[in-house]
Amino acid sequence: MEAAQLLKEHELFELLPAHGKVVTLDADLPMKHALDALSSHSATCLPVWDSFQQRFVDVFTCTDLVDIVLYTHRALAATSGAAMTDSEPRSAPTRGDAQQAIERCQLRDLHGLSRSKHSGFVMASVDDSMYHGCLMLKQHGLECLPLGDTSCSTALLHVLLPEQILAFIATSPGFREEATTNPSALFAAPLSSTALPHCAPPTTVLQGTSLSDALALLSERRLHALPIVDGEGALRDIISCRDVRHLASTSQTDDLTTRVEECLSSLPQVPCRLHTCVPSDSLASAIERLASVEVAQLVCIDERGCVVAVLSSAEILTCLLAQPAAS
């Protein structure tokens, strides 16, 4: 089974859920309500509708939250610095000011924000092939792909996440058989020769790093997750843009001087938050694990426990697109 050919033979329409709804946000909605919507729906991205223009104008994501938190704190710091040199003294920011500023800003403000991801709204048609959808995700650097009945439609039918494509592949006839019975097949090949070459060199932070420095790296390097290592370089934890969703909604982003591991201790307790793999694991095993909405990324580690790469659905799809498709 050739992965690229499989994606070319099936339409995005097949990935629409039988039941469900599309949650959208109004551009004039205060960030507080947008945070509530992300949390209550366990969403990583939500489309933004502009009532004045009568069209979708953006997609609000957890990555945007990182930029918004940093922008707000830097703006308050600049105001505080100006207050100290101004001939007419003004009160410096106090505890809670940053959180209130974050919650007051509107989604419309995203247009004027310097963001670490591409802005704007790109939509695909449900009649497009899954291969075309994967290309759009890669070429536009999208975290999700809005789907309409046409590519220029104002009727939004679904917001497709990359892991849904992986889930489709993982349940395709022949996937497991090929991965387990054909050692020369792509899905049976190790990550070291398939997905890892498509991963960027890993960026890590030491334990004790401030939340401010961690968020700055997430934003500046356009990362979705940042491994936390000890003095020996061994993996100890990870902070992701998804984590920032919870931190912002629970006012944990008011003080960015807090050590990142202290912030992470406030996250809801789950059976497993840190998911790892090794270079010798098969591509099939990574696809099956990343197909779950509970696994946003796999941290690939070596025999010493040091980080080799951070593997997400995006790198898997890039790997599959790189494979030749039958004509």
Side-chain angles (χ1 to χ4, degrees):
M1 177 176 63
E2 295 185 359
Q5 186 63 28
L6 173 68
L7 295 172
K8 284 190 172 185
E9 292 174 351
H10 293 272
E11 297 179 345
L12 292 170
F13 178 82
E14 298 175 57
L15 298 176
L16 295 183
H19 304 284
K21 60 181 179 180
V22 178
V23 179
T24 61
L25 304 172
D26 190 275
D28 294 315
L29 193 70
M31 190 61 59
K32 175 177 175 58
H33 300 301
L35 288 173
D36 291 341
L38 280 177
S39 297
S40 61
H41 294 282
S42 298
T44 58
C45 48
L46 294 174
V48 180
W49 173 265
D50 190 316
S51 299
F52 179 75
Q53 299 185 49
Q54 286 295 295
R55 67 181 181 91
F56 288 101
V57 294
D58 216 325
V59 176
F60 176 56
T61 71
C62 293
T63 304
D64 289 322
L65 271 181
V66 175
D67 295 331
I68 289 166
V69 169
L70 286 172
Y71 176 83
T72 303
H73 277 272
R74 289 167 180 169
L76 287 175
T79 301
S80 178
M84 296 179 66
T85 58
D86 204 327
S87 58
E88 296 182 6
R90 290 169 285 176
S91 59
T94 59
R95 186 173 181 82
D97 283 356
Q99 188 65 27
Q100 291 178 21
I102 291 170
E103 293 179 353
R104 282 197 306 266
C105 68
Q106 296 178 334
L107 293 175
R108 192 179 297 280
D109 297 335
L110 291 177
H111 296 296
L113 182 69
S114 177
R115 302 158 76 184
S116 60
K117 74 175 185 66
H118 298 293
S119 59
F121 189 81
V122 178
M123 180 182 284
S125 168
V126 293
D127 295 327
D128 291 333
S129 70
M130 293 185 193
Y131 186 85
H132 179 74
C134 291
L135 283 177
M136 290 188 68
L137 284 166
K138 178 184 177 182
Q139 292 173 352
H140 295 281
L142 303 176
E143 297 174 58
C144 63
L145 182 61
L147 302 180
D149 50 10
T150 66
S151 60
C152 58
S153 173
T154 57
L156 183 60
L157 302 178
H158 183 55
V159 178
L160 179 68
L161 299 175
E163 53 262 34
Q164 291 174 283
I165 300 177
L166 295 187
F168 173 83
I169 294 172
T171 57
S172 298
F175 170 80
R176 184 175 296 277
E177 179 182 356
E178 180 176 302
T180 56
T181 63
N182 186 357
S184 63
L186 172 68
F187 294 126
L191 293 172
S192 58
S193 62
T194 53
L196 293 187
H198 299 282
C199 295
T203 299
T204 62
V205 292
L206 284 169
Q207 290 177 314
T209 297
S210 69
L211 181 59
S212 175
D213 290 342
L215 295 184
L217 279 173
L218 285 172
S219 176
E220 293 165 7
R221 304 197 181 185
R222 297 186 64 187
L223 305 173
H224 295 299
L226 188 61
I228 302 167
V229 300
D230 61 19
E232 302 299 319
L235 177 66
R236 292 295 176 235
D237 208 334
I238 191 168
I239 181 171
S240 69
C241 293
R242 291 189 183 190
D243 294 329
V244 178
R245 171 187 62 189
H246 176 80
L247 296 175
S249 64
T250 55
S251 302
Q252 299 295 314
T253 51
D254 188 63
D255 182 5
L256 298 190
T257 63
T258 308
R259 293 189 306 169
V260 65
E261 55 264 35
E262 291 181 19
C263 295
L264 295 179
S265 66
S266 69
L267 295 177
Q269 296 299 311
V270 295
C272 182
R273 206 177 65 83
L274 181 58
H275 302 273
T276 62
C277 63
V278 295
S280 59
D281 286 344
S282 69
L283 177 62
S285 69
I287 289 176
E288 290 178 319
R289 296 178 67 187
L290 288 170
S292 169
V293 295
E294 303 300 325
V295 183
Q297 61 275 315
L298 297 173
V299 184
C300 189
I301 55 176
D302 61 19
E303 63 280 357
R304 298 172 301 154
C306 297
V307 179
V308 174
V310 178
L311 184 64
S312 70
S313 300
E315 286 77 29
I316 296 292
L317 292 180
T318 297
C319 168
L320 299 183
L321 289 175
Q323 307 305 313
S327 57

